[in-house]
Amino acid sequence: MDRIILQVGITKLALESELFSHSVLALSAACLCSDTISNGSADPEIVRQLLDVGLQHHTLALEQMRTMASCPVESDIQPLLASALIMVPFALAYQHIQHWALVAKGLQDTEALTPRDAILLLRGTRTTIVILNSIRADSKSPESETPWDTMFSAQSTDSKGLTTIPERSHTMFPVLAATFNQALSQLQRRIESGLATPQADENSASVFDAYDILNDIMSRTFTDCRESDISFGNSTHFPVAPDSLLAQAPGWLRKFVLRRPRPAPTEPLVRSFLAFFSSASKTYVNLLLPLLESQTDNVDDEPELATAEVLALDVYAHWLVLMLLVEKEAWWVGEFPFLALQGLCARYGDRFSDISLIQEQWWPAGMLEVTTRLKQWK
């Protein structure tokens, strides 16, 4: 169903909206870069030039989006919603493609890869939905459904006879499935230990809430769950005000945007994994984002981290391990999780040894080691 929307609905919208056209062209440039690299013997300078073109379109789309979002009208609804979604893949793709181009040219990439921009875009999408739902429209929402809407609503929830998606055939899937329970138990003990200290505050509490969300996603990914939908944060039923701007969006687009992530055997996992940052509290995100900023030239200038900050990174590292499963199936994810986890361990790895109860091997580091060996073997 996602593919049908991309092939028809999204294509039509790109022809009608300058904003969305820039968003699509940005992602298309990144996709062309990815295809060029995959074909082998790619010229890193050509890849870099293509990526720069994509960045130019992405920047123009962001500028137009900010202008529209400041005072949205009915004609802005479709491009705002669709652009907000399609910018996230570009934000992730840009980083690992740029890293490849630098390494291919024999240069060192000193910038650690982080999903900072993607997180901000995901949070922005959430804010955009809330704002559009709070603004009253001049006209009433359409009562009749289009064939698109009917087809989208009729998508089967029965997974019998459907093929299991490639992510679940990933080499690392059985490894993570066999070890995630113990890893989450150890993570929970570390967070509870941090909450028991006199320094515990709302930041520490937000880390535990983020852990609960990640625990829910991982449990539903690796175990059989009768309840197919993730029931947290924005993923619960979102009540659309009938007289709002959001209600004016075409039914197929509105349902696509508000559809709950569903980590079932036949559903792509990347949507469920990214829902972690859409659902995490603002306190947790504000705690984590500064830690993902570029590293100072002098390592000695790195400030000491509070326990809540270390634990926030701990949860984030476990999320990166989960993202390893979609590195091939979602081309725009690519090498990002592996490179980001590698950079995180290099920058902050020694900080985790200061947490009590972490006498066992840290799960993200162990999974990074396994992944590294698999890549070398291949």
Side-chain angles (χ1 to χ4, degrees):
M1 182 56 63
D2 289 359
R3 184 173 297 177
I4 294 175
I5 290 174
L6 288 173
Q7 290 176 339
V8 182
I10 295 300
T11 304
K12 180 176 180 294
L13 183 56
L15 296 173
E16 299 171 347
S17 165
E18 182 182 354
L19 162 60
F20 192 64
S21 177
H22 283 305
S23 300
V24 170
L25 287 171
L27 190 59
S28 297
C31 184
L32 184 57
C33 290
S34 178
D35 289 344
T36 303
I37 294 170
S38 299
N39 290 335
S41 303
D43 184 339
E45 183 58 27
I46 293 178
V47 171
R48 187 194 62 80
Q49 291 174 8
L50 283 171
L51 193 60
D52 284 346
V53 172
L55 182 60
Q56 291 171 14
H57 284 291
H58 182 72
T59 303
L60 288 171
L62 279 174
E63 291 172 353
Q64 292 187 20
M65 193 172 180
R66 290 192 189 101
T67 303
M68 278 190 185
S70 63
C71 189
V73 294
E74 189 172 330
S75 60
D76 298 335
I77 301 170
Q78 289 193 63
L80 273 176
L81 288 176
S83 293
L85 293 175
I86 208 169
M87 285 179 175
V88 173
F90 178 84
L92 290 178
Y94 178 84
Q95 290 198 60
H96 69 80
I97 293 172
Q98 183 185 48
H99 173 86
W100 178 92
L102 288 172
V103 172
K105 293 176 69 174
L107 302 175
Q108 184 178 3
D109 188 2
T110 57
E111 293 290 329
L113 275 67
T114 76
R116 184 181 181 279
D117 291 344
I119 293 171
L120 291 174
L121 287 167
L122 284 167
R123 305 292 291 188
T125 302
R126 177 177 180 170
T127 302
T128 299
I129 291 172
V130 173
I131 290 175
L132 291 176
N133 199 43
S134 66
I135 298 176
R136 187 168 183 173
D138 295 330
S139 58
K140 293 183 179 180
S141 58
E143 295 181 2
S144 59
E145 284 194 338
T146 66
W148 260 107
D149 304 333
T150 305
M151 181 173 61
F152 197 100
S153 300
Q155 61 179 314
S156 175
T157 56
D158 184 8
S159 60
K160 293 181 180 179
L162 297 178
T163 305
T164 299
I165 56 171
E167 291 95 319
R168 295 179 183 273
S169 302
H170 193 287
T171 310
M172 288 296 293
F173 192 91
V175 179
L176 301 190
T179 57
F180 87 97
N181 267 322
Q182 183 179 4
L184 288 177
S185 296
Q186 293 168 355
L187 176 58
Q188 181 178 0
R189 290 201 300 271
R190 293 195 291 273
I191 296 173
E192 289 175 343
S193 177
L195 285 171
T197 63
Q199 293 78 26
D201 54 13
E202 66 170 337
N203 285 335
S204 305
S206 74
V207 173
F208 195 88
D209 292 340
Y211 160 80
D212 275 341
I213 296 170
L214 186 63
N215 181 27
D216 194 14
I217 295 174
M218 293 180 79
S219 297
R220 293 174 185 275
T221 299
F222 297 118
T223 60
D224 294 328
C225 243
R226 290 185 180 180
E227 189 178 341
S228 58
D229 295 335
I230 298 176
S231 54
F232 54 75
N234 262 6
S235 301
T236 55
H237 175 67
F238 187 86
V240 178
D243 59 347
S244 68
L245 279 180
L246 183 60
Q248 307 306 307
W252 67 267
L253 178 59
R254 188 173 64 249
K255 290 170 184 175
F256 178 67
V257 171
L258 298 179
R259 191 180 67 185
R260 292 178 286 181
R262 183 179 298 165
T266 55
E267 287 281 332
L269 294 175
V270 68
R271 188 182 180 106
S272 297
F273 294 173
L274 290 177
F276 170 72
F277 281 111
S278 298
S279 304
S281 69
K282 183 178 179 181
T283 303
Y284 174 77
V285 172
N286 289 343
L287 178 65
L288 178 67
L289 286 181
L291 304 173
L292 303 183
E293 296 284 357
S294 299
Q295 190 173 8
T296 57
D297 293 334
N298 189 351
V299 180
D300 295 332
D301 291 340
E302 287 280 330
E304 286 296 320
L305 299 182
T307 300
E309 292 176 317
V310 177
L311 292 172
L313 287 169
D314 202 352
V315 172
Y316 164 65
H318 283 66
W319 176 80
L320 282 177
V321 172
L322 202 55
M323 287 291 287
L324 290 171
L325 296 177
V326 296
E327 62 179 354
K328 298 297 183 184
E329 287 66 38
W331 66 264
W332 43 272
V333 174
E335 288 276 285
F336 172 80
F338 176 76
L339 295 171
L341 186 56
Q342 203 173 49
L344 180 72
C345 290
R347 181 176 180 181
Y348 290 117
D350 60 328
R351 310 295 179 99
F352 298 104
S353 62
D354 297 332
I355 306 178
S356 60
L357 299 179
I358 193 165
Q359 300 162 349
E360 59 282 320
Q361 184 184 29
W362 190 45
W363 190 64
M367 294 304 100
L368 176 63
E369 183 179 347
V370 172
T371 304
T372 302
R373 291 181 178 179
L374 286 172
K375 288 180 179 293
Q376 291 171 347
W377 179 73
K378 290 179 180 180

